[in-house]
């Protein structure tokens, strides 16, 4: 019998620590490192880090490194050597693109090419999964277990964590209840909780769709700005309401509402991307400058939820071919793509054009 947390639970604890500005310790393959999220780091902990000695490194993604004209010798990330006199302003300037146009010269930045980057890779992935800027301050530790114990820091096995962080957490059903809505009085809301302790996801079922026939379905990613606030910068709100209306008209359907705001980067980073769009960058360019890929969402979650509800065939309401491919790859037969072209305004015309040109959306 053991009450100790397993690796998934330790990762959840590490995410919370990083969001609060508390460091964590990574260990793996005989190495260990102190890790801090660049976004939540404060001046006192930075000073304490410098006092430890050694060469701290700011690990950033290759996307962010490309913007900064820094060499990413590790292919998917760059290890930027942190100068001994590096200030909070310097670190934030490298990690956050908010002032890139105002202060374009960040360097010259020295990036490391020798030695393993495994711990740095896990550190960046952890900050991403915590919905923070994908940038981590990393310092090698000679005695990581002792350091973690003396400072009451969460200790993460990086080898085990890497596998879990790259996997899609299985969403377990929690509860469902009847929920009449404007689109249909015959509605039922199902709540699913992923086993990694992440945000819950929802499935809204209209009517009683037969499980042996294709169900009209929509994979909808959470969009607070569009779904709740009625933002004119995207077409998410109209798509949500349009999908529900069509399911209500047919008397049956399933709308999956996945809490993957901003294409999986979180609402805070999405607002950072909006600020960059105000500077003239399109939505894809903004994501790249922040250090993210075009789309960080995990659509396997949707397939898992549909299968757990008994569906394996769908008529998918989407303009995104990637959703179709991911459904097919994960065991859901997409028998028909049902277009959902709604919500174009003069505010989002450029955004929609970018989705079509750079993400292959069928608009």
């Amino acid at each position: 019998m053991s009450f100790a947390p397993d690796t998934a639970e330790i990762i959840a604890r590490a995410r919370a620590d990083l969001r609060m500005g508390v460091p964590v310790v990574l260990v793996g393959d005989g190495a260990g490192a102190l890790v801090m999220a660049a976004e939540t780091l404060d001046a006192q902990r930075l000073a304490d880090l410098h006092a430890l000695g050694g060469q701290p490194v700011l690990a950033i993604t290759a996307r962010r490194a490309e913007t900064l004209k820094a060499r990413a010798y590790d292919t998917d990330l760059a290890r930027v050597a942190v100068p001994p006199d590096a200030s909070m302003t310097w670190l934030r300037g490298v990690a956050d693109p908010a002032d890139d146009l105002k202060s374009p010269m960040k360097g010259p930045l020295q990036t490391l090419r020798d030695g393993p980057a495994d711990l740095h890779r896990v550190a960046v992935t952890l900050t991403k999964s915590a919905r923070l800027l994908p940038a981590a301050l990393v310092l090698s530790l000679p005695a990581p277990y002792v350091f973690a114990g003396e400072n009451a820091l969460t200790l993460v096995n990086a080898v085990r964590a890497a596998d879990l962080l790259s996997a899609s957490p299985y969403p377990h059903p929690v509860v469902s209840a009847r929920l009449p809505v404007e689109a249909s009085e015959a509605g039922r809301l199902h709540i699913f909780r992923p086993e990694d302790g992440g945000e819950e996801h929802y499935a809204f079922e209209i009517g009683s769709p037969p499980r042996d026939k294709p169900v009209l379905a929509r994979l909808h990613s959470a969009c607070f700005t569009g779904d709740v606030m009625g933002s004119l910068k995207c077409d998410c709100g109209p798509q949500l309401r349009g999908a529900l209306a069509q399911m209500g008209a047919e008397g049956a359907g399933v709308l999956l509402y996945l809490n993957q705001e901003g294409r999986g980067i979180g609402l805070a980073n999405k607002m950072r991307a909006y600020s960059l769009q105000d500077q003239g960058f399109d939505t894809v360019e903004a994501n790249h400058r922040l250090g993210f890929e075009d789309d960080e969402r995990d659509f396997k979650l949707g397939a898992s939820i549909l299968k757990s509800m008994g569906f394996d065939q769908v008529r998918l309401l989407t303009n995104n071919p990637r959703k179709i491919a991911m459904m097919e790859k994960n065991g859901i037969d997409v028998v028909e793509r049902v277009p959902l072209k709604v919500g174009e305004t003069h505010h989002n015309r450029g955004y929609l054009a970018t989705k079509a040109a750079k993400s292959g959306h069928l608009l």
Side-chain angles (χ1 to χ4, degrees):
M1 180 183 294
S2 173
F3 293 103
D6 61 20
T7 302
E9 292 162 340
I10 291 171
I11 290 173
R13 182 181 293 177
R15 286 194 195 101
D17 287 349
L18 291 173
R19 287 180 63 84
M20 291 289 292
V22 178
V24 300
V25 173
L26 295 181
V27 293
D29 294 331
L34 181 67
V35 173
M36 304 181 189
E39 178 177 340
T40 55
L41 177 67
D42 61 32
Q44 183 57 60
R45 283 200 168 103
L46 176 59
D48 293 341
L49 179 82
H50 283 309
L52 290 174
Q55 174 60 71
V57 168
L58 184 61
I60 58 176
T61 67
R63 289 294 191 188
R64 180 66 183 140
E66 182 181 11
T67 294
L68 297 170
K69 303 297 187 289
R71 290 187 178 274
Y73 292 111
D74 302 305
T75 306
D76 58 333
L77 67 119
R79 293 171 287 155
V80 180
V82 177
D85 60 348
S87 64
M88 290 292 300
T89 301
W90 185 89
L91 286 166
R92 291 277 166 78
V94 175
D96 190 341
D99 294 328
D100 278 359
L101 294 187
K102 187 187 302 180
S103 305
M105 299 303 293
K106 307 290 184 183
L109 300 177
Q110 178 192 351
T111 56
L112 308 185
R113 64 188 308 169
D114 298 323
D118 298 342
L119 295 183
H120 304 80
R121 185 168 288 110
V122 173
V124 171
T125 305
L126 264 177
T127 61
K128 264 192 183 184
S129 70
R131 297 293 189 260
L132 299 170
L133 285 168
L137 195 59
V138 181
L139 178 68
S140 294
L141 295 172
Y145 292 92
V146 174
F147 189 91
E150 290 177 345
N151 293 276
L153 298 179
T154 299
L155 184 77
V156 182
N157 183 305
V159 178
R160 296 177 195 160
D163 291 336
L164 285 176
L165 286 167
S166 64
S168 180
Y170 185 79
H172 294 277
V174 178
V175 67
S176 70
R178 188 177 69 86
L179 180 64
V181 299
E182 184 177 347
S184 172
E185 293 186 8
R188 175 168 288 272
L189 184 63
H190 303 256
I191 308 299
F192 291 83
R193 184 174 296 153
E195 57 192 1
D196 69 345
E199 294 175 290
E200 293 168 349
H201 306 285
Y202 320 125
F204 188 70
E205 182 178 12
I206 288 178
S208 300
R211 268 49 179 176
D212 59 347
K213 294 180 181 179
V215 63
L216 182 64
R218 162 84 180 155
L219 270 70
H220 190 89
S221 298
C223 179
F224 172 78
T225 52
D227 300 342
V228 179
M229 303 302 293
S231 168
L232 301 177
K233 285 177 66 70
C234 66
D235 56 344
C236 301
Q239 284 191 324
L240 173 65
R241 292 183 287 276
L244 286 173
Q246 189 161 339
M247 292 174 187
E250 294 195 13
V254 175
L255 185 136
L256 303 179
Y257 197 88
L258 307 180
N259 272 309
Q260 301 186 123
E261 181 87 39
R263 296 186 184 177
I265 66 176
L267 184 56
N269 286 320
K270 175 180 170 180
M271 289 300 97
R272 291 187 173 106
Y274 274 18
S275 293
L276 293 174
Q277 289 172 37
D278 288 341
Q279 296 178 26
F281 301 102
D282 68 34
T283 182
V284 171
E285 292 167 342
N287 271 27
H288 291 177
R289 294 188 79 86
L290 285 164
F292 295 104
E293 295 302 317
D294 303 22
D295 196 331
E296 298 273 353
R297 288 175 292 183
D298 177 11
F299 290 127
K300 185 177 180 181
L301 285 168
S304 297
I305 291 173
L306 283 169
K307 284 191 281 190
S308 74
M309 293 177 70
F311 299 105
D312 58 14
Q313 299 179 79
V314 297
R315 297 165 51 226
L316 195 61
L317 275 158
T318 187
N319 303 322
N320 186 354
R322 182 168 175 256
K323 288 184 180 180
I324 298 172
M326 288 300 295
M327 288 294 98
E328 296 279 2
K329 181 180 178 181
N330 290 288
I332 300 294
D333 181 18
V334 181
V335 301
E336 179 188 0
R337 182 186 77 85
V338 182
L340 189 58
K341 298 179 182 179
V342 292
E344 181 176 337
T345 71
H346 71 276
H347 292 282
N348 64 28
R349 198 160 291 129
Y351 164 76
L352 296 177
T354 298
K355 286 208 297 185
K358 294 188 174 183
S359 302
H361 285 227
L362 303 172
L363 300 173

